[in-house]
Amino acid sequence: MLTLRQAVDRCAVFGQAGLQIRRQAVSSGILKRYRKNELIFREREEVQRVYFVVCGYVALFRLNCHCDRRILFICGNGEMLNEIILEEPVASNSAQAFVEVTVLSFARSQFLEMMNSDPAFSKAVFDSAARKIRRLYHQIANTSNMFLLERQIASKLWKMARDFGIQTDAGIRIPFEIPVTFLADMAGSKRESVSRSVRALKDKGVLLVQKNRFLIPDMDKLQQIVYEKHGKA
């Protein structure tokens, strides 16, 4: 089990914080493990804690009017999960452990006090939120009605490989299982359609898939698929 000091050191925003803020974080943070698929917080509920991934991966998602899940992000080590509650303590999305994870959390009121007392730390938190906004803008541009599904799936797998991938002799391995249903939730599309797109990418030799584990032999070739013009094979 990690110590609180080790957990704080893993959280990117504390790298910009002063020594006093890091000491406060070590003395006030709480570490908790979540089982795979366990909810950390739920959309529309009041949330009075600020959460960080310390070890593992967490999926952030929302439900549409038909209660279908749409995956927004996968967050990895050191990432903040719910900057949005700093404005008001109501979650705008749900967070679910994608694998078994260790999460560090702080009381919202205390976290806001730490931000108020350290401008550099406060800016790091705002920068974290800004990166999520940029990623959402990119996702809007890549929604399935504007972006061929095969290219959309290629883009999401490329990004996961870039962000979380492990280099092997055979290529970049994504270090967690990705069921087709999960990819469908990411793309906002039907499972059958996503399955066909994955098969097409396998046939092009840009993916290797075994039991929901993805390996990218050549990242450049996969990225070329993302930037193909509509109408190309």
Side-chain angles (χ1 to χ4, degrees):
M1 184 71 174
L2 291 168
T3 66
L4 276 166
R5 184 177 299 280
Q6 289 170 327
V8 169
D9 287 344
R10 288 194 177 193
C11 298
V13 298
F14 287 104
Q16 305 301 316
L19 181 59
Q20 183 60 33
I21 294 299
R22 293 199 297 274
R23 286 175 174 168
Q24 288 181 39
V26 169
S27 65
S28 61
I30 294 176
L31 283 173
K32 183 176 178 179
R33 288 183 178 174
Y34 290 85
R35 299 182 306 274
K36 181 179 179 179
N37 296 327
E38 187 176 357
L39 281 173
I40 298 167
F41 55 84
R42 194 186 303 269
E43 180 180 347
R44 297 191 183 93
E45 288 185 348
E46 183 172 309
V47 178
Q48 291 291 349
R49 299 197 70 80
V50 179
Y51 293 93
F52 293 83
V53 184
V54 173
C55 183
Y57 305 96
V58 172
L60 302 184
F61 69 92
R62 294 199 66 171
L63 299 177
N64 65 18
C65 59
H66 303 294
C67 290
D68 295 325
R69 191 171 65 157
R70 179 66 189 268
I71 303 297
L72 302 172
F73 306 117
I74 297 176
C75 295
N77 296 351
E79 290 193 72
M80 193 171 176
L81 295 178
N82 59 335
E83 296 94 335
I84 195 72
I85 71 152
L86 297 174
E87 183 213 6
E88 63 173 311
V90 177
S92 294
N93 53 267
S94 300
Q96 184 177 36
F98 193 41
V99 297
E100 183 176 297
V101 299
T102 301
V103 169
L104 174 66
S105 70
F106 303 90
R108 175 180 178 270
S109 57
Q110 188 170 30
F111 195 84
L112 286 169
E113 288 177 7
M114 289 192 290
M115 289 177 63
N116 286 335
S117 65
D118 189 325
F121 174 61
S122 183
K123 182 179 184 303
V125 173
F126 283 119
D127 288 347
S128 175
R131 284 191 292 271
K132 283 193 174 69
I133 293 170
R134 288 182 185 277
R135 289 164 68 184
L136 283 172
Y137 288 160
H138 183 72
Q139 287 188 33
I140 289 170
N142 290 354
T143 52
S144 57
N145 63 338
M146 301 170 65
F147 203 63
L148 292 177
L149 184 59
E150 184 180 316
R151 294 166 59 208
Q152 190 180 2
I153 298 302
S155 176
K156 293 184 181 303
L157 290 171
W158 182 87
K159 188 176 188 306
M160 283 189 277
R162 183 198 67 182
D163 291 349
F164 310 119
I166 297 171
Q167 181 70 56
T168 72
D169 291 341
I172 304 293
R173 176 172 60 86
I174 298 175
F176 41 77
E177 292 186 5
I178 308 174
V180 171
T181 50
F182 188 85
L183 273 178
D185 290 343
M186 292 187 81
S189 187
K190 298 293 184 183
R191 182 188 186 282
E192 295 78 9
S193 301
V194 171
S195 184
R196 286 194 295 270
S197 293
V198 169
R199 283 198 300 271
L201 291 169
K202 287 170 60 180
D203 291 343
K204 291 180 178 180
V206 296
L207 293 181
L208 296 175
V209 187
Q210 186 175 25
K211 295 183 178 179
N212 296 330
R213 295 277 185 173
F214 285 76
L215 187 140
I216 316 301
D218 188 321
M219 289 285 282
D220 290 338
K221 286 184 178 179
L222 183 62
Q223 192 176 38
Q224 286 172 13
I225 299 291
V226 177
Y227 291 107
E228 284 179 349
K229 294 182 179 179
H230 293 275
K232 283 192 175 182

